[in-house]
Structures are given as C-alpha cells and as structure tokens.
Amino acid sequence: MRASAFKAIAASALAVMAATSMASAADMAPRYTKAPPAMVEVWNWSGFYIGGNAGYSWGRGHSDVSYFNTVTGLPIAPPAGSITSAGYNMDGAIAGGQIGYNWQANNWVFGLEADAQWSDEKGRGVFSCAATGIGGPCLPGLTFLPPGVTGTSLAVDTHLEWFGTVRGRVGVLATPRVLFYGTGGLAYGSFKTTGTMAGVTPAGIAVASVTSNDDIRFGWTVGAGVEGKITNNWSAKLEYLYMDFDSFRAGSFTLAPASAIRADVDTRFHDHVLRVGLNYTFGGPVIAKY
C-alpha cells in the first residue's frame, strides 16, 4: 500500500512538472506586434510669398519716323535714300523682386504674382531724311547744298529703365515638391527715348538738338516656369516671360526754330525674359500624414 502511495505521488509530481514546462514554453514563445504606419510628407504650397530674381532679357525694338514741316504743319515725303524705319536689339541684364499668393487644391496650384524689375536693356535706331540737289524738303528753306551735307539725320536711343508685371499663375505638381506652371497678365514699363537730330539752317549752318522723353507704357505678358521646394519655406524657380508693348509715340524731335523740320517717332517693343528666382513662403511646417 505504501508503494502504491509513492507511485501516486510520483505520478502527480511528474504531471505538475510537465504542466509547468509547457507553461514556461508558452511564455517564452515570440510575441508579434503590428508595425506603426509609415509617415508620408505632404508639402503645402498655399500662402503668401516674397522673393528676388535675376536674369537676362533679349528685347527687340522697331521704330518708324514721320517728318513734318513745322511752319506749314504738312507732312514731308522723304526723298529716295531716306531711312524712315529701323529695327534694333535691346538686350540687357535684369534684376528685381516679386510677391504673391498661392492656393493649393490637391495637385493643382493657383496663384497671383506681381513683380518689379530694374533693366539695362538699350538699343539705337538711325534714320535720315535725305537731301536733294538743292536741299529739298528735308532741309527746309535751303536753296543750295553745302559740301558734305546729306540731309537731316536722327539717332533714336531707347532704354527700358524698369518694368513690372501683374500675373495669374496656374500649375500642376509633378511631385509634391516640384511645380510646373503657366502664367500671364499685364506688363508695364518705363521707356526713356533720346533723340539726337542734326541738320543745317537755311543759311547752311550746321545745327543739332538732343531731346529725351520718359513714358510709362502698358502691354501684356505670357510665360511658363518650374519651381521646386528646397525646404519647408524656401523654393527656387526658373521662369520665361514674353512681353509685348503695342506701338506708342516715343517722342517728337525738332530742329525748330533753326530749321523747320520735326520728326515723330512711333516705337513697338517686345521682349524675351529668362530669370531665376528664390522665394520664401510664410506658412507652417510639413504636414505629417499617416
């Protein structure tokens, strides 16, 4: 009977040890947890921005000259050999600043931008009202032609001193940080026109005059660009603009009263602008989306 009791106790001990081992093994089994979701950066393009830019402009001016007798007020028909129309390049460096606002709607960005630019664009056109054998209408009152005199000459220097634009912008995000956009709107600029006129009086005495005019003219512009985010608030851009100013009266230049001749100059100007810029956007940090 004692042996049976020992056998029962031993069996019970073995059962407890087996159960304990199984529980320990279960406690030592690896436990798996769900990984946190990945964070996706959402770059925000909305907000006010301000920046600067610099570049180069390839401009083209074209001027037409009409001559008049200042005594009679009648137009002068320039004789053969006269130059009454000329085109000229107006290339130069530009620099300035811009301010604007963007609205982002999914992958689309809409905005308004205004800029002002200093310009070094200059060009010159040379014109002449040719003389005839006894002087002719381009040398009013002259009854003989002094040696070396070929008529009344005019040199027109045009300088785009500064310009600006007010434009809308519409763009699409190629990536969250890269924006391709089109733009267009109003262009305006200050043109300084200087006319240097030379001829002779009815007595055959050489005479010259220099006159300058400043005028603000309006036109239109259209272009395209690409802009990329560098950091949360800073972005860089490359932009092209075409500007066109309709024909305008650049100035009236005369030798009167020494010589009764006047030249009216009408000019048209268009421009190709390429510039790089840096913008700072006032806004919050990158939004974390899970």
Side-chain angles (χ1 to χ4, degrees):
M1 185 172 177
R2 182 176 296 178
S4 298
F6 278 115
K7 287 181 180 181
I9 293 173
S12 299
L14 288 173
V16 170
M17 291 176 63
T20 303
S21 298
M22 291 176 63
S24 298
D27 290 339
M28 293 176 64
R31 295 181 180 180
Y32 299 97
T33 58
K34 186 178 180 180
M39 184 180 71
V40 178
E41 293 179 333
V42 178
W43 294 78
N44 183 18
W45 286 81
S46 295
F48 285 101
Y49 64 88
I50 190 171
N53 68 78
Y56 200 81
S57 244
W58 293 267
R60 182 72 176 172
H62 188 279
S63 296
D64 296 299
V65 178
S66 301
Y67 294 97
F68 295 87
N69 186 298
T70 59
V71 174
T72 66
L74 297 175
I76 294 173
S82 299
I83 301 174
T84 60
S85 182
Y88 42 91
N89 293 326
M90 289 179 56
D91 304 338
I94 61 166
Q98 64 273 351
I99 187 170
Y101 189 86
N102 285 327
W103 296 268
Q104 182 176 354
N106 297 321
N107 287 340
W108 291 92
V109 177
F110 306 89
L112 291 172
E113 182 174 290
D115 65 85
Q117 308 287 139
W118 163 85
S119 170
D120 191 40
E121 297 176 79
K122 301 173 183 177
R124 165 175 277 206
V126 178
F127 311 88
S128 67
C129 192
T132 62
I134 59 170
C138 296
L139 298 168
L142 192 68
T143 57
F144 67 98
L145 189 61
V149 175
T150 59
T152 298
S153 66
L154 175 66
V156 176
D157 293 286
T158 304
H159 179 197
L160 178 60
E161 299 176 299
W162 56 264
F163 68 90
T165 69
V166 179
R167 295 170 286 108
R169 298 203 317 169
V170 179
V172 62
L173 292 169
T175 73
R177 298 175 65 174
V178 177
L179 173 69
F180 288 90
Y181 63 88
T183 183
L186 174 71
Y188 56 95
S190 176
F191 290 86
K192 181 177 183 179
T193 305
T194 302
T196 303
M197 201 170 189
V200 295
T201 68
I205 300 172
V207 63
S209 68
V210 179
T211 308
S212 293
N213 298 310
D214 284 282
D215 196 10
I216 296 177
R217 307 306 303 181
F218 293 88
W220 56 272
T221 182
V222 66
V226 57
E227 186 170 358
K229 287 281 191 181
I230 302 172
T231 66
N232 300 344
N233 300 101
W234 290 98
S235 62
K237 70 174 183 177
L238 175 66
E239 185 175 74
Y240 164 79
L241 292 178
Y242 172 81
M243 295 194 303
D244 194 295
F245 293 85
D246 291 333
S247 181
F248 59 93
R249 177 59 51 85
S252 293
F253 308 101
T254 183
L255 292 175
S259 179
I261 186 171
R262 184 185 84 238
D264 292 348
V265 180
D266 294 299
T267 295
R268 181 165 185 169
F269 175 75
H270 66 262
D271 206 4
H272 300 275
V273 178
L274 185 64
R275 59 191 181 184
V276 294
L278 190 65
N279 288 330
Y280 181 85
T281 301
F282 299 90
V286 177
I287 302 171
K289 183 179 181 180
Y290 295 90

